[in-house]
Amino acid sequence: MAYLAPIHKPSSVRHALKIRFLDPQEESLIIAKANRIEIYSHTEDGLILSYTRALYGKVTMLEKLQPPQSSTEHLFVGTDRHMYFTLSWNAQKQQFHTERSFVDQADPTTRDSQIQSPCLVDPTRQFMALQLFDGIITVLPLAAKGKKKGPSEATTLGEPIPSRITEFFVRSSAFLHLPDRNGGRPQIALLYEDNHHKTCLSVKILNFDPGMSGEAGTASFDDVGGPREDLELGASFLIPVPGPAGGLLVLAETSISYLKNPPHGDILIEPLKETTIFVAWTQVDHQRWLMADDYGTLYFLMLLLEDDEVSGWKFDKIGSTSWASVLVYLDPGIVFVGSHQGDSQLVRIRDRSIEVLQTLSNIAPILDFTIMDLGNRSGEAQTNEYSSGQARIVTGSGAFQDGSLRSIRSGVGLEEQGLLGEMKHITDLFSLRSAVASKYQDVLVASFVDETRVFQFSMDGEVEEQRDYNGLVLSEESLLVSNVLNDNLLQITRSKVHLLEMEGSMIMAEWSAPSEQAITAASAGNEKIALSVAGREIVILDLDRDLQLTARKSFPEEGQISCVHVPFVLRDVCIAGFWQSASIAVLKATSLEILHKVTMSEDLVSVPRSILLAQILEGQQPTLFVAMANGEVVTFAMDTEKVSLSTRKTTILGTQQANFKALPREDGLVNIFATCEHPSLIYGADNRIVYSAVTAEEATCVCPFRSRAYPESVAIATAEDLRIALVDTERTTHVQTLKVNETVRRVAYSAKLKAFGLGTIHRSLKDSCEVIQSSFKLADEILFKELDTYALNEDELVESVIRADLQEPSGDFVERFVVGTSYVGDEQSGPERGRIIVFAVTSERKLQVVAQLTVKGACRVLGVVCGRIVAGLVKVVVVYSLDTPSLTKQATYRTSTAPIDISVHGSLIAIADLMKSITIVQYTRGTAGTSDELKEVARHFQTAWSTAVAYVDDHTWLVSEAEGNFMILQHNVSGVTAEDRRRLERVGEIRLGEMVNRIRTIDVEPSSSATVIPRAFLGTVDGSIYLFALIVPSKQNLLMRLQQAIAARVQSPGLVPFNRYRAFKSSVREEEEPFRFVDGELVEKFVDCPAIVQEKICEDMVSEGMNAEVEEVRELVEGLRRLH
């Protein structure tokens, strides 16, 4: 039984509109992202999210309606399961209200329409036309006019009435603004392709009879003359022109046309200066439009009128935006550009230029992705459960000019509260209380290389820099500034230690370092101060005795001191790190005697650079954190009675040392902020240590800063400035973007080489012709900097890229990147239709071709089995051995159609076929002169248009298919008959509603109390990333009953049944409910439900025989949410 939950929600925008939905006087922007609707308010600061809600269905259409007796407009929504409903806004409950929902209008005998805008409303706002299927237009009257209809019923949508038409393959349609003169009946224009592949235009008149009371209405369409057949073949859009001019604009690849009285009559055609492909348009007013093309260019079109007749138009290029799937004109000069394959943007149009005001991140479509687990590179077993927070998913997202690499991490966000100003070269930050009895920190101290600066905050957040403050030395760098016991201030500089009276500025005590020796490191606890003097000796001073020297010692065997730490949680102890021995030692503070010593690096390559002992886990021993110079963080459990260290664990945060700062919590525990190239927040949850990435990539140092104006905040210094920020209370998903401006079609990652292998496609226009160039690139893992590029041949495209450990003829294994390609078109001479290329990476981090082979089919997919390459070609899977400088065929297997994906586990290879689901074959190496063999051992005997496959458990495979469904297939190895043993049995299935491009398996060690075991990540076309997990047997019944109870109590907008939404549906079969799958998005809604609803859900579970207490269920669900 499986569990599926989103860790990154869909971000692709295909539908959007402007509507007076929340308030009669305020227009909002509504955006549809797969199964989510988001409502934005447009303010001076940009778009602000006002409301978001998930629906039970993927949105395929949006339209606004204005019922006569409603002050606000209503939203009409259609989904991929052909469910339709209208929504209004309930201002009291601040949520959607379903006004009307329609039963499934799907017709299994017809083909789905491919029209870009399937929902139209006629200019009189009396009718809506839905083009759901080829050859059918469904008419919905917007205002019922039966004889017995009362005023209150006039706001109700009429029943849908399907009407057949003769036009198929409709590209675009539009209601004309000038109705038929005979009765004012609406006219609809259709741009379509006929059976002879001609582009035609027809116009039809809608005949509607509402029928008598209790009778169904009728609708039909009459032709206005015959179709027009002289349009350009590349015509793609119809734009209705409002009065007074009226008529129709036709957008094509090489021209724009205008018809006054379509379909026949005179036509005005003006050729475009450059050939292009239009993809979206929006109306500005009755004679101006904005248009976007396939290359990210935005155009402005204005009709020129003479006596209300169109005499021509001006057509100008404005600038470049993301590729637009939808345009919405919000305010004068302000346009929303919704994008499926790039970031959505809010732009301002200026004189022949565009200013981007706001960007909404979009990682769709995810063409490929790889997993970088920075927290598990030390070679040790990963001891903590999944979701360390340091795992990164790197996706190849977008297409062509919008192509990019996206680094996605689940981490803690920072909300900026204020900017103090530009300040460079800050070395450390400290916060102070200015008053003895105050619980707030209202003084911020910034240390620089040659000075110290002090900033004091008022109660309302006003800040003033102090020229002097309580006797602090401001002309030197400060290593430490803090409030200490007895209401004093402590300052440690490179030369002296000052103990100052907080309110009188009097120097209470002072200690100076020996002449020509500097203090290199310092730490202070409740009673003791530890100093590293010249890096050669440790000095202990007593705070209670006016800085009296308590101990002084050098450590010739251990070497120079790299760092010191005096913990607050353990008295009379000092901890030090050493350079030469690469070790740490726990010292007795009174004598500096070594109580416990640990060597951190056996090869002495990396040394400890920062140490912190903190109580991070409730009810457990304190944890010692040691930051190494190579980016590792090593933790130990500290036995406070024996003063010894145990349970060593290693996590890698990056390639550079981390610096620790403790962030005290109100419950007495401590969070730790680690600054490095990947800043992280370290905290305890569920009795384990969690490392969460922080969205402060440029942070160089931090400190807690809990002032009255900025409670629970931190001060953050970067290389350029100093700011105050609020740390999020929970982890969310954060995305970092690296623009590539090419399609990143394939991504492979090598932890050993610390590099990515990228298969890219670059598109450009040259003399109105499209030029495609494909390459394989080597990029650095940290900066994503391009290290080397190998350009493929002309008309050759990259199809697959993997990192592989291949066996050479000598028997040694070597790490290589393997690239599969194909040739496009019919221009390629000879039988060669693709190549397999093996790359080595040199010590200079350059690509070197070590082997290549031309093949007779496109190499769509690659894998590795037993040290050899598995290649999926057209209708065949081949195993090759590496025999530099070529590849040798060892075994083949004939597939049903074309292999789309493969997944290898041991010697088993799962082959996802284009049409015939998956097949399991076993690879056996030949012995004693026999040939290698690929033998089929199992097959799924059903039709499924597979897109990806992955091994997720013993004899169990996860398969996705092109219609948005998932199946879990299990090999019945213990079947009674041979036929049983050849079958893959369906043990789970669900409809996701999004097509999955890639599945990547993960292998983690769960805790004994785990509810689910993560097994894979999934990336979709709509920009979603899902976590797939297996439910432990003891929790399966509980989660299934919980899902059933929540589905009954929590209604979706549109009143769509949950089981219908998640039930498997394809062109071959349709089910009534999901099978042995738990929808994590639904189950995790439990914690967001009101308390009374939670209680009723648990009561429903109890009635089914489950022992379900509200607190226990809430704790279970919160644990599931923390997984992502």
Side-chain angles (χ1 to χ4, degrees):
M1 188 173 291
Y3 184 85
L4 189 69
I7 63 174
H8 184 276
K9 293 181 173 59
S11 55
S12 162
V13 176
R14 299 179 190 263
H15 309 279
L17 54 77
K18 182 173 64 172
I19 181 174
R20 299 184 186 276
F21 188 74
L22 302 178
D23 187 277
Q25 307 302 321
E26 178 185 346
E27 289 185 320
S28 301
L29 174 69
I30 291 187
I31 296 172
K33 297 180 178 179
N35 71 326
R36 304 191 70 82
I37 286 183
E38 297 178 350
I39 304 177
Y40 289 85
S41 298
H42 182 210
T43 68
E44 294 180 355
D45 298 325
L47 297 175
I48 298 177
L49 182 63
S50 302
Y51 184 76
T52 181
R53 182 70 189 271
L55 308 179
Y56 287 168
K58 182 179 179 180
V59 177
T60 57
M61 62 182 72
L62 291 177
E63 187 55 79
K64 61 183 177 181
L65 307 174
Q66 179 61 72
Q69 305 208 1
S70 173
S71 60
T72 59
E73 293 175 312
H74 291 185
L75 181 67
F76 180 84
V77 182
T79 71
D80 60 334
R81 294 294 296 261
H82 303 292
M83 308 291 275
Y84 309 96
F85 45 89
T86 55
L87 302 174
S88 63
W89 181 249
N90 188 321
Q92 291 183 341
K93 296 183 178 181
Q94 292 291 294
Q95 64 183 26
F96 287 133
H97 174 70
T98 303
E99 296 287 341
R100 177 79 186 276
S101 60
F102 294 85
V103 297
D104 191 347
Q105 295 293 315
D107 186 343
T109 64
T110 55
R111 180 177 53 206
D112 287 352
S113 172
Q114 301 301 313
I115 193 170
Q116 297 187 34
S117 300
C119 180
L120 298 175
V121 176
D122 85 296
T124 64
R125 315 300 290 184
Q126 294 182 3
F127 300 96
M128 177 186 291
L130 304 181
Q131 293 168 267
L132 311 177
F133 312 103
D134 280 345
I136 297 177
I137 296 180
T138 301
V139 178
L140 288 88
L142 298 184
K145 296 182 179 179
K147 294 181 179 179
K148 295 185 179 180
K149 299 289 183 181
S152 62
E153 295 178 286
T155 63
T156 305
L157 284 172
E159 291 295 327
I161 306 169
S163 177
R164 291 195 174 271
I165 58 175
T166 58
E167 291 81 2
F168 291 80
F169 308 109
V170 176
R171 298 179 183 177
S172 181
S173 60
F175 274 110
L176 300 181
H177 279 269
L178 292 182
D180 174 45
R181 295 173 183 173
N182 298 322
R185 293 171 293 172
Q187 296 183 11
I188 188 170
L190 303 174
L191 180 69
Y192 65 99
E193 182 179 333
D194 67 7
N195 294 330
H196 302 288
H197 304 292
K198 293 181 180 179
T199 302
C200 304
L201 175 68
S202 66
V203 175
K204 295 179 177 295
I205 298 176
L206 171 61
N207 299 308
F208 176 73
D209 181 3
M212 301 298 290
S213 177
E215 297 180 358
T218 60
S220 63
F221 290 92
D222 294 337
D223 288 325
V224 179
R228 184 170 195 135
E229 300 180 350
D230 60 348
L231 298 179
E232 182 183 325
L233 291 177
S236 56
F237 281 100
L238 298 180
I239 300 179
V241 179
L248 201 64
L249 285 169
V250 183
L251 305 184
E253 294 181 5
T254 63
S255 66
I256 296 177
S257 307
Y258 171 75
L259 292 89
K260 172 64 177 177
N261 296 302
H264 300 289
D266 295 336
I267 182 171
L268 180 61
I269 303 176
E270 290 192 10
L272 299 174
K273 294 180 181 179
E274 296 179 350
T275 301
T276 191
I277 302 172
F278 293 103
V279 293
W281 62 271
T282 187
Q283 185 173 342
V284 177
D285 55 29
H286 71 283
Q287 66 182 97
R288 295 185 297 171
W289 289 265
L290 291 170
M291 302 164 186
D293 70 5
D294 195 42
Y295 303 96
T297 304
L298 196 64
Y299 300 90
F300 177 78
L301 184 146
M302 183 176 71
L303 297 180
L304 303 178
L305 303 180
E306 294 182 4
D307 298 328
D308 293 338
E309 297 289 333
V310 175
S311 60
W313 51 83
K314 291 181 62 178
F315 186 72
D316 297 317
K317 182 187 297 186
I318 303 175
S320 296
T321 66
S322 297
W323 185 92
S325 52
V326 61
L327 297 174
V328 180
Y329 192 78
L330 294 176
D331 284 325
I334 306 296
V335 181
F336 173 73
V337 181
S339 181
H340 166 63
Q341 63 187 41
D343 291 334
S344 296
Q345 298 171 325
L346 184 69
V347 302
R348 174 182 283 118
I349 299 175
R350 298 188 180 276
D351 185 20
R352 294 183 180 272
S353 67
I354 290 175
E355 176 188 1
V356 178
L357 303 177
Q358 187 177 356
T359 298
L360 304 182
S361 179
N362 171 32
I363 67 172
I366 300 175
L367 304 177
D368 197 5
F369 71 93
T370 187
I371 301 169
M372 289 179 63
D373 193 352
L374 296 179
N376 190 27
R377 283 205 220 149
S378 62
E380 304 176 9
Q382 185 168 339
T383 55
N384 60 326
E385 193 178 349
Y386 165 74
S387 86
S388 67
Q390 289 307 308
R392 273 203 297 176
I393 295 176
V394 178
T395 68
S397 298
F400 302 119
Q401 69 270 13
D402 297 307
S404 63
L405 279 177
R406 305 287 176 124
S407 174
I408 302 162
R409 305 172 78 184
S410 176
V412 176
L414 293 179
E415 181 182 350
E416 185 175 322
Q417 301 289 299
L419 178 66
L420 270 69
E422 295 184 1
M423 300 180 203
K424 297 184 178 181
H425 311 303
I426 296 177
T427 59
D428 212 341
L429 293 172
F430 314 96
S431 55
L432 301 174
R433 290 178 286 105
S434 63
V436 174
S438 176
K439 64 177 182 179
Y440 295 106
Q441 299 160 326
D442 55 357
V443 176
L444 186 61
V445 179
S447 177
F448 297 80
V449 176
D450 56 355
E451 65 172 337
T452 298
R453 297 172 65 178
V454 179
F455 303 90
Q456 187 157 11
F457 289 73
S458 65
M459 293 178 61
D460 58 359
E462 294 294 325
V463 60
E464 180 181 358
E465 183 172 1
Q466 304 295 318
R467 296 302 176 186
D468 57 76
Y469 183 79
N470 285 1
L472 292 180
V473 177
L474 304 183
S475 59
E476 297 182 46
E477 177 188 6
S478 293
L479 300 180
L480 179 64
V481 182
S482 69
N483 296 103
V484 293
L485 295 178
N486 302 322
D487 301 324
N488 295 326
L489 288 179
L490 174 68
Q491 181 187 23
I492 303 176
T493 67
R494 292 288 181 182
S495 59
K496 291 184 179 182
V497 179
H498 302 274
L499 189 61
L500 306 167
E501 191 177 44
M502 184 183 293
E503 296 182 348
S505 303
M506 180 185 298
I507 298 178
M508 311 257 326
E510 186 177 272
W511 184 89
S512 300
S515 59
E516 299 183 0
Q517 293 187 11
I519 301 173
T520 56
S523 178
N526 289 324
E527 301 172 352
K528 298 290 190 295
I529 300 172
L531 308 173
S532 170
V533 179
R536 293 194 292 268
E537 63 178 355
I538 296 178
V539 172
I540 302 295
L541 305 178
D542 196 324
L543 277 169
D544 287 339
R545 300 181 180 180
D546 296 334
L547 304 184
Q548 179 179 334
L549 181 64
T550 300
R552 188 171 195 162
K553 186 177 180 180
S554 59
F555 299 83
E557 292 186 6
E558 287 72 23
Q560 292 187 321
I561 298 119
S562 59
C563 51
V564 293
H565 173 60
V566 179
F568 284 91
V569 297
L570 192 58
R571 295 185 59 187
D572 297 327
V573 163
C574 168
I575 307 173
F578 299 94
W579 284 98
Q580 280 78 4
S581 61
S583 63
I584 61 168
V586 182
L587 309 173
K588 191 173 183 179
T590 54
S591 63
L592 293 179
E593 171 191 353
I594 296 179
L595 302 175
H596 190 88
K597 179 180 174 182
V598 177
T599 300
M600 302 301 297
S601 176
E602 295 294 339
D603 53 11
L604 307 182
V605 172
S606 185
V607 298
R609 296 295 290 124
S610 181
I611 300 174
L612 181 62
L613 180 66
Q615 188 68 53
I616 197 168
L617 297 174
E618 185 177 7
Q620 297 189 26
Q621 297 281 13
T623 304
L624 178 67
F625 293 83
V626 182
M628 306 297 288
N630 63 353
E632 293 181 352
V633 172
V634 184
T635 62
F636 298 90
M638 169 68 81
D639 188 325
T640 55
E641 294 183 0
K642 298 180 180 179
V643 193
S644 61
L645 303 174
S646 62
T647 318
R648 175 172 177 164
K649 299 178 183 178
T650 301
T651 300
I652 295 183
L653 295 188
T655 59
Q656 303 171 10
Q657 72 180 59
N659 293 309
F660 298 133
K661 271 295 179 73
L663 304 180
R665 292 166 34 172
E666 292 183 355
D667 58 5
L669 301 179
V670 170
N671 294 343
I672 299 173
F673 199 112
T675 53
C676 55
E677 75 264 39
H678 299 300
S680 304
L681 186 71
I682 308 171
Y683 60 95
D686 297 332
N687 294 320
R688 61 190 179 92
I689 298 174
V690 178
Y691 295 79
S692 282
V694 179
T695 57
E697 297 291 336
E698 299 177 350
T700 56
C701 52
V702 302
C703 76
F705 188 67
R706 298 182 175 182
S707 67
R708 189 182 296 273
Y710 303 106
E712 308 302 324
S713 297
V714 294
I716 299 178
T718 69
E720 301 293 333
D721 54 41
L722 176 61
R723 59 191 65 193
I724 306 296
L726 182 66
V727 182
D728 286 350
T729 56
E730 62 181 30
R731 195 170 55 190
T732 54
T733 302
H734 303 282
V735 179
Q736 179 184 358
T737 303
L738 175 74
K739 295 291 290 182
V740 179
N741 299 319
E742 299 180 26
T743 301
V744 182
R745 191 176 190 187
R746 295 292 179 259
V747 181
Y749 172 65
S750 168
K752 180 180 178 181
L753 298 173
K754 298 182 179 180
F756 290 99
L758 309 176
T760 66
I761 302 174
H762 180 266
R763 180 182 69 170
S764 60
L765 280 177
K766 186 176 182 181
D767 299 329
S768 295
C769 294
E770 222 174 52
V771 179
I772 301 294
Q773 175 64 57
S774 195
S775 305
F776 176 65
K777 301 177 184 291
L778 186 70
D780 179 74
E781 71 165 5
I782 301 297
L783 303 175
F784 296 108
K785 177 184 176 182
E786 185 178 315
L787 302 173
D788 197 14
T789 299
Y790 178 87
L792 300 182
N793 297 330
E794 185 178 355
D795 294 327
E796 186 178 21
L797 293 181
V798 63
E799 294 282 356
S800 52
V801 174
I802 63 168
R803 183 216 67 87
D805 291 318
L806 301 180
Q807 188 176 23
E808 294 187 315
S810 63
D812 296 333
F813 282 83
V814 291
E815 186 175 38
R816 297 288 184 258
F817 283 110
V818 186
V819 178
T821 74
S822 68
Y823 287 98
V824 297
D826 300 324
E827 293 78 10
Q828 177 68 17
S829 60
E832 293 82 11
R833 306 304 304 163
R835 283 193 296 167
I836 301 174
I837 313 169
V838 181
F839 291 94
V841 179
T842 67
S843 57
E844 292 81 19
R845 308 190 83 182
K846 298 296 182 182
L847 293 172
Q848 178 182 355
V849 177
V850 296
Q852 61 176 310
L853 177 72
T854 57
V855 291
K856 296 181 180 180
C859 183
R860 304 290 188 190
V861 61
L862 289 166
V864 179
V865 60
C866 303
R868 295 184 170 178
I869 298 172
V870 185
L873 310 180
V874 176
K875 300 202 75 171
V876 66
V877 172
V878 186
V879 175
Y880 295 99
S881 61
L882 177 61
D883 297 312
T884 308
S886 186
L887 301 174
T888 302
K889 182 188 296 184
Q890 299 294 341
T892 62
Y893 171 79
R894 188 83 171 171
T895 61
S896 298
T897 54
I900 295 299
D901 193 21
I902 60 176
S903 177
V904 180
H905 178 74
S907 61
L908 295 176
I909 306 170
I911 304 169
D913 190 85
L914 176 64
M915 296 177 61
K916 295 297 183 180
S917 192
I918 70 166
T919 304
I920 311 298
V921 298
Q922 187 163 27
Y923 171 65
T924 305
R925 283 202 177 190
T927 57
T930 61
S931 301
D932 294 1
E933 183 184 21
L934 284 173
K935 181 181 178 181
E936 180 179 322
V937 296
R939 174 186 290 269
H940 184 224
F941 290 92
Q942 285 190 9
T943 298
W945 294 73
S946 307
T947 61
V949 63
Y951 179 87
V952 292
D953 200 12
D954 293 340
H955 310 292
T956 305
W957 309 83
L958 177 65
V959 186
S960 64
E961 50 98 71
E963 295 182 81
N965 300 297
F966 274 112
M967 294 180 290
I968 302 176
L969 303 177
Q970 193 171 72
H971 184 194
N972 185 11
V973 294
S974 58
V976 177
T977 66
E979 184 66 21
D980 292 337
R981 293 190 292 273
R982 285 193 65 238
R983 289 184 177 275
L984 291 174
E985 298 177 347
R986 178 173 52 90
V987 296
E989 64 182 15
I990 193 173
R991 178 174 177 81
L992 183 64
E994 303 174 51
M995 191 177 82
V996 172
N997 271 338
R998 184 69 67 205
I999 305 174
R1000 297 290 187 191
T1001 57
I1002 54 178
D1003 187 14
V1004 297
E1005 192 71 27
S1007 67
S1008 58
S1009 60
T1011 302
V1012 299
I1013 304 172
R1015 282 289 182 247
F1017 289 122
L1018 303 83
T1020 76
V1021 170
D1022 288 285
S1024 301
I1025 298 178
Y1026 288 86
L1027 170 68
F1028 171 85
L1030 298 176
I1031 306 173
V1032 298
S1034 61
K1035 302 292 185 181
Q1036 290 179 358
N1037 193 31
L1038 173 62
L1039 286 179
M1040 287 297 292
R1041 296 294 185 186
L1042 178 60
Q1043 175 176 260
Q1044 179 182 346
I1046 296 176
R1049 293 287 180 180
V1050 178
Q1051 294 292 329
S1052 165
L1055 307 179
V1056 179
F1058 170 78
N1059 284 341
R1060 186 71 180 275
Y1061 163 50
R1062 285 304 192 194
F1064 185 100
K1065 179 183 182 296
S1066 70
S1067 57
V1068 178
R1069 64 184 175 93
E1070 183 173 355
E1071 303 295 336
E1072 294 298 324
E1073 60 184 5
F1075 176 53
R1076 292 176 60 82
F1077 246 104
V1078 173
D1079 183 354
E1081 188 172 18
L1082 174 68
V1083 167
E1084 292 168 17
K1085 288 180 180 178
F1086 179 85
V1087 296
D1088 299 324
C1089 293
I1092 188 172
V1093 177
Q1094 292 182 354
E1095 292 175 1
K1096 290 184 178 297
I1097 289 171
C1098 291
E1099 289 173 3
D1100 293 344
M1101 296 176 65
V1102 170
S1103 67
E1104 294 289 334
M1106 299 298 301
N1107 183 16
E1109 297 291 338
V1110 173
E1111 287 302 322
E1112 293 178 358
V1113 174
R1114 185 186 295 118
E1115 183 178 348
L1116 172 72
V1117 174
E1118 287 177 346
L1120 292 172
R1121 294 183 84 172
R1122 281 193 290 270
L1123 279 174
H1124 52 88

